[in-house]
Amino acid sequence: MLDKTFDPKTAEPRLYHAWEASGGFAPTDDPTAEPFSIVIPPPNVTGSLHIGHALNNTLQDVLIRFERMRGKAALWLPGTDHAGIATQMVVERQLAEQGNQSRRDLGRDDFVAKVWEWKAQSGGTIVNQLRRLGASCDWSRERFTLDEGLSAAVRKVFVTLYKEKLIYRDKRLVNWDPHFQTAISDLEVEQREVDGHYWHFAYPLEDGSGEIVVATTRPETMLGDTAVAVHPSDERYTAVIGKAVRLPIVGRPIPIIADEYPDPEKGSGAVKITPAHDFNDFAVGKRHNLPMINVFDDFARMNDNVPPEYRGLDRFAARKKVIEAFEAAGLLREVEKTRHTVPHGDRSGVVVEPYLTDQWYVAADVLAKPAIKAVEDGDTVFVPKHWEKTYFEWMRNIQPWCVSRQLWWGHRIPAWYGPDGKAFVEETEAEAKRQAEEHYGRPTDLRQDEDVLDTWFSSGLWPFSTMGWPEKTSDLARFYPTHTLITGFDIIFFWVARMMMQGIHFTGEVPFKRVFINALVRDASGAKMSKSKGNVMDPLELVDEFGADALRFTLTAMSGQARDIKLSRQRIEGYRNFGTKLWNATRFCQMNGCARSAGFDPAAVKAPLNRWIVGETQRTAATVGAALADCGFDEAAGVLYRFIWNQFCDWYVELAKPLLTGVDEAAKAETQATAAWALDVILKLLHPVMPFITEELWQNTADLGAARSEAQLMTARWPDLPASLVDPAADAEIGLIIETITEGRSVRQGLNVPLSAQPPLLVVDASPGQRAVLGASAALVARLLRVSDVQFVDAAPAGSIPYVVDGATLALPVAEFIDIAAERARLTKEVATLASDIDKTAKKLGNPDFVARAPEEVVEENRERLAEAEAAKAKLEGALARLQSV
């Protein structure tokens, strides 16, 4: 007999260990099985499980468990990303804490050895946390972006692209993090809104005929100005275009140029152009062939390209000194307060600088063309489809991809330089030396490039490098292309696009057939979670409190394609109660002798109740299977919830009690066998979403009647039930009973009829078949509806409340139990109150200014309030309409 309650704390680790030990996470070796593969978006090796990971990995696990049960060779390939900056930062911080050492004190080789040591000791945290969530990854295939196989793939890709002239060196602007002294990607830049100033500076014309005023939020960069730009249509400056100004402090003459970039309506209409320190200015500088003067060093201190008194100053100290110099020279025209966004490094927290450096670039525009066509042609589809627009906009306007990073932890760029700076790009140092000897005519010492590759470069190879490419492995042949990628919208540009480009270029095939973009998890009020707001929900704490299944079901049920997830503890608690409901229903079945019957045929059952639950089980299996196949995770969860809670645990269990306790032994045996069969199907259908409790129930009902063919639920076959199991006649009969009780309860509740009151249920007008059903089930209906009995009458007496079910007119004579006039007044008042609330909320939402200015979560809260009020008003109006007829 089952325990009274399910204990996730003891059951989850025990069940997970059994699953993993059984080898069931690995794809079947049956050569006839259809392959179905997913590669995990590799979390940072420094990371720990956050709520976004919990959502993303739950959906992947739901899908992989479903396809595994459908008999496919299902592979979910796990792994972690070496996470260049994040990991280097962790180890550097540890070194500082241990003895005030820096990586430069250690040297490159010893520092990298320290990082590997840290990875061995602490780098598996998130992997173990995924196990707690129930992730059924094939851990025997676990990969790491810096393991030897993947490193070989990275070297081959880099060298191949270089020799195809798709990788090259160039001097361009990058996002530069002065703390780490490296270029970083756009994804690693966090735009923060800060208080600042516009300083309006006067630049005197060189001929002494006047001045041009420019405004800047970064006065220190003016030391690198190489032009002042005005719009060609700006009549204020027509006469000075082509002239020069004398750059204050520096004393360098710089031209006044005409360009479309300045906005004549903004400020003075003239802008300073610093091509080496602003992305827009860089583009202007390219168009006009302007000098590009870098005024910073790697630490964002002023370099030797500025006047001597500024050299070595930190950029913010230099800013202060520049402002003082302008003020002293009488050239500071205005200081305007402003609030503006400033880029910061998401890891370092320091202000990021646009910085002109030599870096390695990929010609992304060339690689993007076939990747665009693949989505246009439907070789890869996005779900929801509207994300294809985001993908196309990015890919059709893609810029050269900076792939070099000035770090020590990562894939070192396979380029070696000769004494004259010539680069030899090869997969190995030995091959580079051979090429150098051939070039120079003698053995030559080479120096390897100090930089490492952007982590997106290696993770862009993930779908095929993890399967053994460039070797022609059996996994690559069987599981590539992968089937579905589940990921967040924020890395469509940085990861999805790179995988598409590199996958197609190096394998000739798309890396995945479908990309499912999961939602963002917000707090209960709809606000984005952040540490500063104090509203972050830790998934591991939620697992400790409610169990993994409850969290998984919540995330799955709320993962609708068109909306973000508003997560609350109450919702998770509700789905834990759902698991408890199933547990209790299973105990009820056990206590009432429900057991599998050898040779049981669901198509052969006779009792209408059993034919009804068999048909509902078939419908649910078909709907859930179709939904999961299409990534309709929320639809699948919703159907499961309604079927299990309402139809099986409530109605079937309740309506089956007379059969299970009656004297008809044949009906009793049939009901016991039917309940056991339906319960087995339920456990299979629910398993992908709630794997722990379903596996525990499966194991604990193994000895009930005939033996099952599957020892573990995880590897049981998904139910494939014929549509012929649906019986419309049984549906109509049981549906009439259920709706009679449900609608009758609604009438009682809406009119505040006391629970102790037991009026008769009057059947006023019904077909002969309906009369027969209600007559045969009269005792059951009377018990569940709390009425004295079921009576068949020609007309309802005064004081009766009528209601209609499937064309049959029924009535409850309740006048003696309630004050009709008082109830009518109460309902009228409540309807009026709701109408007023609806009017106020509708006006608010109809105000474009409110919708534009209010936080997103506030607007959404008002929309929900409006919908709830309208639904409540409709219900009360229905109850009031019934009273009007009394």
Side-chain angles (χ1 to χ4, degrees):
M1 178 62 65
L2 278 174
D3 292 338
K4 285 189 175 181
T5 57
F6 174 61
D7 180 16
K9 282 187 169 62
T10 58
E12 288 176 358
R14 168 172 48 79
L15 291 169
Y16 195 90
H17 177 75
W19 287 331
E20 193 169 358
S22 74
F25 292 166
T28 175
D29 54 10
D30 178 0
T32 65
E34 179 187 344
F36 182 92
S37 55
I38 298 176
V39 290
I40 200 169
N44 286 357
V45 71
T46 59
S48 59
L49 195 73
H50 59 59
I51 202 68
H53 289 134
L55 168 65
N56 180 264
N57 286 283
T58 292
L59 298 183
Q60 290 178 81
D61 194 48
V62 169
L63 194 54
I64 208 73
R65 286 180 183 270
F66 166 66
E67 297 293 2
R68 185 185 291 128
M69 293 177 76
R70 290 216 290 176
K72 295 185 182 179
L75 168 63
W76 185 13
L77 198 152
T80 48
D81 190 280
H82 63 279
I85 287 182
T87 308
Q88 185 160 313
M89 181 177 72
V90 166
V91 178
E92 284 198 76
R93 189 183 295 137
Q94 280 189 354
L95 287 173
E97 290 170 355
Q98 290 166 3
N100 207 25
Q101 277 187 313
S102 72
R103 62 185 167 106
R104 288 183 171 80
D105 294 329
L106 279 180
R108 183 171 195 139
D109 291 344
D110 287 346
F111 176 76
V112 170
K114 281 280 186 190
V115 183
W116 278 109
E117 183 182 311
W118 172 88
K119 194 261 179 188
Q121 293 173 354
S122 309
T125 299
I126 196 166
V127 165
N128 293 323
Q129 291 170 337
L130 286 171
R131 285 178 163 91
R132 288 197 60 196
L133 193 65
S136 60
C137 303
D138 182 359
W139 298 108
S140 70
R141 285 174 163 87
E142 183 179 354
R143 304 305 299 267
F144 178 54
T145 49
L146 270 179
D147 69 29
E148 183 45 47
L150 271 67
S151 295
V154 167
R155 291 191 295 270
K156 182 164 187 71
V157 165
F158 187 94
V159 172
T160 301
L161 290 175
Y162 177 79
K163 293 187 175 181
E164 292 173 344
K165 302 192 184 310
L166 295 175
I167 278 185
Y168 56 91
R169 290 278 283 178
D170 195 10
K171 186 182 287 291
R172 296 174 61 91
L173 281 191
V174 296
N175 297 307
W176 186 263
D177 188 315
H179 177 78
F180 291 115
Q181 299 97 56
T182 182
I184 60 176
S185 73
D186 289 342
L187 187 64
E188 294 158 322
V189 175
E190 183 179 285
Q191 297 292 344
R192 299 183 189 172
E193 198 171 77
V194 300
D195 291 322
H197 298 85
Y198 271 117
W199 286 274
H200 295 253
F201 294 152
Y203 285 11
L205 276 92
E206 191 177 22
D207 62 9
S209 61
E211 65 184 29
I212 284 186
V213 176
V214 299
T216 180
T217 58
R218 300 161 67 217
E220 66 279 8
T221 64
M222 62 79 50
L223 299 171
D225 285 358
T226 56
V228 171
V230 296
H231 197 276
S233 66
D234 194 334
E235 295 179 357
R236 292 172 294 175
Y237 300 111
T238 303
V240 298
I241 292 172
K243 289 187 175 185
V245 296
R246 173 76 52 180
L247 185 63
I249 300 174
V250 179
R252 182 173 63 245
I254 58 175
I256 301 169
I257 60 174
D259 192 271
E260 298 287 333
Y261 169 57
D263 181 356
E265 304 298 322
K266 188 175 179 181
S268 68
V271 295
K272 60 188 281 305
I273 302 298
T274 320
H277 296 289
D278 183 277
F279 287 101
N280 291 315
D281 292 5
F282 179 79
V284 174
K286 283 280 191 183
R287 288 195 290 272
H288 295 271
N289 199 28
L290 296 174
M292 299 197 181
I293 302 173
N294 188 351
V295 297
F296 294 147
D297 65 12
D298 290 354
F299 294 86
R301 297 175 304 214
M302 310 310 289
N303 64 19
D304 289 346
N305 291 328
V306 300
E309 63 270 28
Y310 292 88
R311 292 172 191 170
L313 288 179
D314 173 78
R315 55 186 160 163
F316 299 116
R319 174 179 299 180
K320 184 178 178 183
K321 193 174 179 71
V322 165
I323 295 165
E324 289 171 350
F326 268 86
E327 193 167 19
L331 297 174
L332 178 60
R333 293 290 173 260
E334 183 184 352
V335 180
E336 176 188 351
K337 287 186 177 180
T338 185
R339 188 154 181 82
H340 62 134
T341 56
V342 175
H344 288 71
D346 67 344
R347 300 284 179 185
S348 65
V350 304
V351 174
V352 167
E353 289 290 345
Y355 189 50
L356 189 65
T357 62
D358 288 308
Q359 302 283 349
W360 289 93
Y361 289 88
V362 172
D365 58 330
V366 177
L367 296 180
K369 288 183 175 66
I372 293 169
K373 187 174 187 300
V375 176
E376 288 174 336
D377 293 349
D379 298 331
T380 295
V381 297
F382 280 75
V383 181
K385 190 173 176 60
H386 67 79
W387 287 112
E388 289 182 5
K389 182 181 178 184
T390 302
Y391 173 83
F392 286 139
E393 285 177 354
W394 169 260
M395 294 291 270
R396 288 168 180 158
N397 297 284
I398 200 163
Q399 297 298 307
W401 172 18
C402 175
V403 294
S404 46
R405 298 289 182 268
Q406 291 64 56
L407 302 170
W408 287 355
W409 173 245
H411 294 102
R412 196 162 176 184
I413 289 176
W416 288 263
Y417 300 102
D420 57 356
K422 178 175 174 54
F424 298 90
V425 177
E426 299 294 343
E427 293 181 47
T428 66
E429 184 176 12
E431 181 59 23
K433 285 186 173 181
R434 192 187 68 75
Q435 293 288 342
E437 185 173 346
E438 188 176 304
H439 175 77
Y440 292 113
R442 64 184 184 280
T444 306
D445 289 336
L446 300 178
R447 171 183 57 84
Q448 186 174 0
D449 197 300
E450 293 288 323
D451 291 352
V452 299
L453 285 163
D454 175 15
T455 54
W456 296 107
F457 189 90
S458 51
S459 60
L461 316 180
W462 189 250
F464 58 95
S465 64
T466 52
M467 295 185 190
W469 187 93
E471 302 300 321
K472 298 186 185 301
T473 64
S474 58
D475 271 5
L476 190 65
R478 191 181 190 195
F479 295 113
Y480 186 89
T482 66
H483 189 280
T484 301
L485 175 74
I486 298 180
T487 190
F489 69 89
D490 53 337
I491 54 175
I492 290 176
F493 316 135
F494 301 99
W495 191 45
V496 178
R498 275 121 166 90
M499 287 189 287
M500 287 290 287
M501 290 190 289
Q502 298 192 100
I504 294 171
H505 190 78
F506 286 99
T507 72
E509 296 183 88
V510 294
F512 23 75
K513 299 167 188 174
R514 176 174 64 183
V515 181
F516 179 82
I517 302 297
N518 60 246
L520 178 70
V521 186
R522 297 179 179 271
D523 72 7
S525 67
K528 189 172 181 178
M529 292 188 189
S530 70
K531 290 179 181 176
S532 61
K533 290 180 182 176
N535 63 346
V536 172
M537 299 179 79
D538 183 340
L540 298 172
E541 289 180 6
L542 296 172
V543 168
D544 285 339
E545 186 174 355
F546 301 107
D549 287 325
L551 177 60
R552 287 171 60 108
F553 199 98
T554 306
L555 294 171
T556 305
M558 300 182 74
S559 65
Q561 298 177 5
R563 56 183 169 79
D564 289 338
I565 294 172
K566 296 204 294 190
L567 192 63
S568 69
R569 278 184 148 75
Q570 291 80 2
R571 195 75 180 255
I572 303 169
E573 184 178 14
Y575 288 126
R576 181 187 62 188
N577 296 343
F578 169 63
T580 302
K581 183 88 168 177
L582 176 60
W583 186 271
N584 291 338
T586 306
R587 289 187 83 240
F588 169 85
C589 289
Q590 277 188 330
M591 290 186 289
N592 284 275
C594 299
R596 290 178 299 281
S597 175
F600 175 78
D601 180 4
V605 297
K606 294 182 173 58
L609 177 64
N610 292 329
R611 295 205 309 274
W612 169 74
I613 198 63
V614 164
E616 291 298 328
T617 303
Q618 188 280 331
R619 282 197 189 96
T620 301
T623 305
V624 171
L628 290 180
D630 290 339
C631 289
F633 300 105
D634 58 329
E635 179 189 355
V639 170
L640 284 167
Y641 185 91
R642 289 188 294 275
F643 171 64
I644 294 169
W645 186 294
N646 300 118
Q647 292 170 305
F648 184 81
C649 295
D650 275 352
W651 289 113
Y652 182 70
V653 165
E654 200 60 53
L655 298 177
K657 286 177 180 177
L659 295 173
L660 291 170
T661 58
V663 295
D664 187 336
E665 290 299 325
K668 178 178 181 179
E670 180 188 277
T671 303
Q672 289 170 328
T674 303
W677 171 84
L679 189 58
D680 270 9
V681 176
I682 283 170
L683 295 179
K684 290 178 180 179
L685 298 180
L686 185 59
H687 178 74
V689 187
M690 299 182 88
F692 291 108
I693 194 170
T694 52
E695 186 74 68
E696 185 79 340
L697 287 170
W698 185 265
Q699 302 297 333
N700 279 277
T701 54
D703 59 350
L704 296 182
R708 298 190 186 106
S709 58
E710 309 103 332
Q712 276 192 329
L713 178 56
M714 182 183 70
T715 51
R717 289 308 293 260
W718 185 261
D720 184 13
L721 305 176
S724 58
L725 291 177
V726 174
D727 182 346
D731 288 351
E733 185 170 330
I734 304 304
L736 176 64
I737 295 170
I738 291 173
E739 287 304 305
T740 295
I741 296 166
T742 301
E743 287 300 307
R745 287 172 174 172
S746 179
V747 169
R748 295 184 61 132
Q749 184 180 10
L751 300 179
N752 280 339
V753 177
L755 288 175
S756 58
Q758 292 206 341
L761 172 66
L762 306 179
V763 181
V764 182
D765 182 25
S767 69
Q770 290 172 327
R771 284 174 175 267
V773 169
L774 292 173
S777 59
L780 184 63
V781 170
R783 177 168 62 85
L784 296 178
L785 185 51
R786 291 179 177 269
V787 295
S788 59
D789 59 355
V790 177
Q791 301 176 12
F792 296 88
V793 299
D794 293 329
S800 296
I801 304 297
Y803 66 97
V804 178
V805 172
D806 195 21
T809 302
L810 311 171
L812 288 170
V814 297
E816 64 180 284
F817 303 109
I818 61 172
D819 183 333
I820 300 288
E823 278 303 305
R824 193 177 288 135
R826 177 183 69 83
L827 290 170
T828 301
K829 182 178 179 182
E830 289 187 19
V831 167
T833 300
L834 284 169
S836 174
D837 290 345
I838 288 168
D839 183 58
K840 289 175 185 173
T841 308
K843 282 181 179 176
K844 192 182 288 185
L845 289 170
N847 181 349
D849 191 53
F850 168 77
V851 174
R853 291 177 179 274
E856 183 182 337
E857 59 266 26
V858 173
V859 175
E860 184 60 27
E861 183 184 343
N862 275 272
R863 287 183 179 137
E864 289 180 3
R865 185 186 302 150
L866 179 63
E868 288 169 3
E870 287 174 338
K873 178 170 172 279
K875 191 173 181 180
L876 291 176
E877 284 175 334
L880 185 58
R882 287 192 178 107
L883 272 183
Q884 305 297 0
S885 63
V886 176

